[in-house]
Amino acid sequence: MTVIGWLQILFILAAVVAFAIPLGTYMSKVFSGERTPLSPVLRPVEHGLYRLAGIDPAKEQGWLAYCLAMLAFNAGGFALLYAILRAQAFLPLNPLGFPGMSADLAFNTAVSFVTNTNWQSYGGETTLSPFSQMAGLTVQNFLSAAMGIAVALALVRAFARSGAAMVGNFFVDTTRAVLYVLLPLAIVTGLAQVAMGTPQTFQTTATVRTLEGADQTLALGPVASQLAIKQLGTNGGGYYNANSAHPYENPSPLSNALTIWQMLVVSVALVFAFGRLIGDRRQAVAILSVMGLLLVTATAVCYWAEAKGTPVLTAAGLDPSGGNMEGKEVRFGIAASSLFAAVTTGLSDGAVNAMHGSFTPIGGMVPMVLIMLGEVLPGGVGSGLYGILVIAVISVFIAGLMVGRTPEYLGKKIEAKEMKMAMLAILILPVAILGFSAVAAVLPAALAGLGNAGPHGLSEIYYAYTSAAGNNGSAFGGLSANSPWWNTTLGLTMLLGRFAYIVPVLAIAGSLAAKPKLAPSSGTFPTHGPLFVGLLAGIILILGGLQFFPALALGPIAEQVQMLAGKTF
């Protein structure tokens, strides 16, 4: 680890917070229906869309209607995207004549992009046409991110309101998230990516003469437009198979810094918007402190492990002072690669600028653990906020048990119904991850896709289902997942990780919204100070540790022991 490396990390994180504060203020006004600088231009467009869709923006929904609207909206998005992928050969803007996807791969891909997972069992530049990339994947990048924001808003309103039957209007929240937040940011940052060297063209190939004198065909396309929203919406699916390690998606250290900033800024801004919407900014600072503390710690562990290198590489005659550069781009280095790995998995982004499977065992365990913790550091756009609020509900309940008082959070009593729904949401991840992993670890059809045996092969299985259940989308890279078993089971895991989590969250929102908002009393446990920050951080770590430590002991931890013993990994 070096001072310059840490300065890179701290500069990017500081830039995120500096922009997220005013962006959070802006977002709170957008979702409160207040006038913003973009209102004169976008409000007519917004109301025009409502008229076309037959939506009354003044009519709000209870939690069940909100939930059904969300499910129907995503079912329609899945059907449309699945049809595009299957019928790709007959659709326009397909100059290379790519055929349609197989049924299992189209199912996996459609589910992946609708759930904001963006797991890719295919190489984008060799499988999908510009039309499929734009009309299919890029559109869902906007909509899935906006849907996550909408669900978070419903839960935030539940805490802000008192004795209310309604939690908002799903279609209004989703429309505003796209029009006022995601689209303007995508346009600006997409143009910045183009200026840094990312292609944005309908030309699909270019033939160039290499330094050796041979001809090479390069894949081009509308890359920047997809890249911008893939990062801003914490989607992560790349235009190219190599994702953000590809020099067209991520040309330079500057574009890499911008990419990390894009991943973080909206999720962090939502936390500041949360503080303004509930009328207590101290709560936002407390939650952001937990997110920042754990994310920086995870980055430090990953950076330390990769900078230290491995005994195997040292024995091979490589200079250990260079650290473990296997699977990393020289133009980024270890510090930026470690930060990227921690951010993309602390979020639900899934983009990668290095091969996680080539990290050291401890370095590779960090991104896996961050997903297992629920991706709340700071989590995906919207999903990170409602995820950590669910953990906050569990935390105050535990605190109430310890001191013998009725637990409250933000003026709302936390009772049996909220705890049942919170635990149902929390248990989705271990059931999906460990259940499918147990079957895949003994099934020949699943094991045929592994690139490695032993603990590293087991880590590939864990990581795949962890990434799918956490709606992350990154992979270890040694797994060949384009087979009926992996496409189908990973698709089912993505659906569970997204919607089996969201439904209990919306049920919590409906229950809390109907409750009166109580004024703080002398017996109220304060949720804005250091004690709550420590409690919340501890609960996040305990939940992840109790659920997944035995599995980690058989995978990356066992692999670390092998590495220290001088064996290959």
Side-chain angles (χ1 to χ4, degrees):
M1 293 194 289
T2 65
V3 173
I4 293 177
W6 272 111
L7 287 176
Q8 291 180 51
I9 293 170
L10 296 176
F11 175 79
I12 294 171
L13 296 179
V16 169
V17 174
F19 193 86
I21 294 173
L23 180 59
T25 301
Y26 167 78
M27 291 170 68
S28 69
K29 292 180 179 180
V30 167
F31 297 119
S32 298
E34 300 177 30
R35 185 178 177 85
T36 70
L38 295 180
S39 294
V41 176
L42 296 180
R43 187 157 289 176
V45 179
E46 177 190 356
H47 287 284
L49 292 173
Y50 296 150
R51 285 193 295 272
L52 287 173
I55 296 170
D56 180 2
K59 185 178 180 180
E60 293 198 352
Q61 300 164 313
W63 82 267
L64 185 57
Y66 200 99
C67 183
L68 292 174
M70 179 272 300
L71 293 173
F73 182 79
N74 284 278
F78 165 80
L80 181 59
L81 181 52
Y82 181 83
I84 290 173
L85 297 174
R86 292 283 283 157
Q88 176 177 251
F90 309 103
L91 296 174
L93 288 176
N94 186 10
L96 297 179
F98 290 139
M101 283 185 171
S102 64
D104 59 289
L105 181 57
F107 167 76
N108 179 279
T109 305
V111 167
S112 181
F113 279 79
V114 167
T115 58
N116 201 249
T117 308
N118 301 75
W119 172 276
Q120 295 173 288
S121 295
Y122 60 89
E125 70 269 41
T126 58
T127 308
L128 294 179
S129 67
F131 182 85
S132 297
Q133 297 269 22
M134 292 188 300
L137 306 189
T138 303
V139 168
Q140 279 303 319
N141 281 347
F142 278 99
L143 297 181
S144 63
M147 189 269 284
I149 294 174
V151 173
L153 289 170
L155 185 57
V156 170
R157 291 191 188 103
F159 285 111
R161 295 178 176 181
S162 181
M166 305 298 177
V167 295
N169 185 308
F170 171 77
F171 298 107
V172 172
D173 290 338
T174 303
T175 300
R176 288 176 177 170
V178 172
L179 274 183
Y180 289 88
V181 180
L182 298 175
L183 188 57
L185 284 172
I187 291 172
V188 173
T189 57
L191 291 173
Q193 295 283 2
V194 171
M196 293 178 188
T198 301
Q200 180 66 22
T201 176
F202 285 119
Q203 182 182 350
T204 53
T205 61
T207 301
V208 299
R209 181 61 59 90
T210 67
L211 294 175
E212 291 81 7
D215 288 336
Q216 181 178 357
T217 300
L218 304 178
L220 302 175
V223 182
S225 56
Q226 182 170 323
L227 172 62
I229 187 57
K230 99 168 186 180
Q231 303 295 47
L232 289 166
T234 59
N235 297 280
Y239 194 96
Y240 295 98
N241 188 36
N243 205 281
S244 290
H246 196 286
Y248 282 173
E249 283 203 34
N250 199 357
S252 67
L254 183 59
S255 69
N256 190 65
L258 175 60
T259 296
I260 298 172
W261 181 91
Q262 286 173 297
M263 283 193 280
L264 285 166
V265 70
V266 178
S267 291
V268 174
L270 270 171
V271 178
F272 288 113
F274 158 72
R276 291 183 62 88
L277 289 169
I278 64 170
D280 189 348
R281 300 180 193 180
R282 298 174 302 172
Q283 304 294 337
V285 172
I287 287 179
L288 193 60
S289 297
V290 175
M291 293 174 170
L293 173 66
L294 295 181
L295 181 63
V296 171
T297 301
T299 301
V301 172
C302 187
Y303 187 14
W304 166 81
E306 297 308 302
K308 188 176 181 181
T310 70
V312 174
L313 293 177
T314 302
L318 297 178
D319 183 0
S321 65
N324 176 35
M325 279 298 293
E326 181 188 349
K328 299 178 182 66
E329 291 294 315
V330 176
R331 65 185 186 275
F332 304 142
I334 291 177
S337 298
S338 299
L339 177 62
F340 199 112
V343 168
T344 197
T345 49
L347 293 152
S348 67
D349 189 86
V352 293
N353 74 345
M355 186 68 70
H356 291 178
S358 295
F359 281 25
T360 63
I362 295 300
M365 186 176 71
V366 168
M368 191 189 307
V369 168
L370 286 172
I371 306 174
M372 289 175 170
L373 294 180
E375 292 186 301
V376 293
L377 309 172
V381 170
S383 62
L385 180 57
Y386 64 67
I388 201 165
L389 289 177
V390 168
I391 299 175
V393 165
I394 296 173
S395 299
V396 296
F397 184 82
I398 292 173
L401 291 178
M402 290 191 294
V403 298
R405 297 182 182 274
T406 302
E408 296 178 16
Y409 186 56
L410 305 181
K412 299 296 181 85
K413 286 187 176 182
I414 306 302
E415 297 173 304
K417 181 178 181 180
E418 291 80 32
M419 281 305 301
K420 289 176 182 178
M421 292 296 103
M423 291 311 302
L424 180 60
I426 289 295
L427 290 173
I428 290 301
L429 258 67
V431 168
I433 294 169
L434 299 177
F436 278 115
S437 294
V439 176
V442 297
L443 195 69
L447 294 174
L450 296 185
N452 295 275
H456 195 83
L458 190 58
S459 294
E460 289 177 1
I461 295 174
Y462 287 150
Y463 199 104
Y465 287 113
T466 299
S467 180
N471 300 134
N472 185 268
S474 62
F476 249 34
L479 177 69
S480 298
N482 189 11
S483 68
W485 165 265
W486 287 105
N487 283 333
T488 302
T489 58
L490 288 172
L492 294 174
T493 306
M494 294 176 214
L495 288 171
L496 288 172
R498 184 70 160 177
F499 299 112
Y501 196 105
I502 284 178
V503 172
V505 168
L506 289 175
I508 294 172
S511 177
L512 292 176
K515 293 184 177 184
K517 193 173 179 67
L518 306 175
S521 67
S522 58
T524 302
F525 178 66
T527 55
H528 57 266
L531 184 59
F532 179 71
V533 169
L535 174 66
L536 183 55
I539 295 299
I540 291 171
L541 294 174
I542 289 170
L543 284 175
L546 291 178
Q547 293 173 138
F548 298 112
F549 182 79
L552 294 172
L554 296 174
I557 294 177
E559 189 180 355
Q560 177 73 13
V561 173
Q562 280 188 343
M563 186 192 75
L564 294 176
K567 298 181 180 180
T568 58
F569 63 94

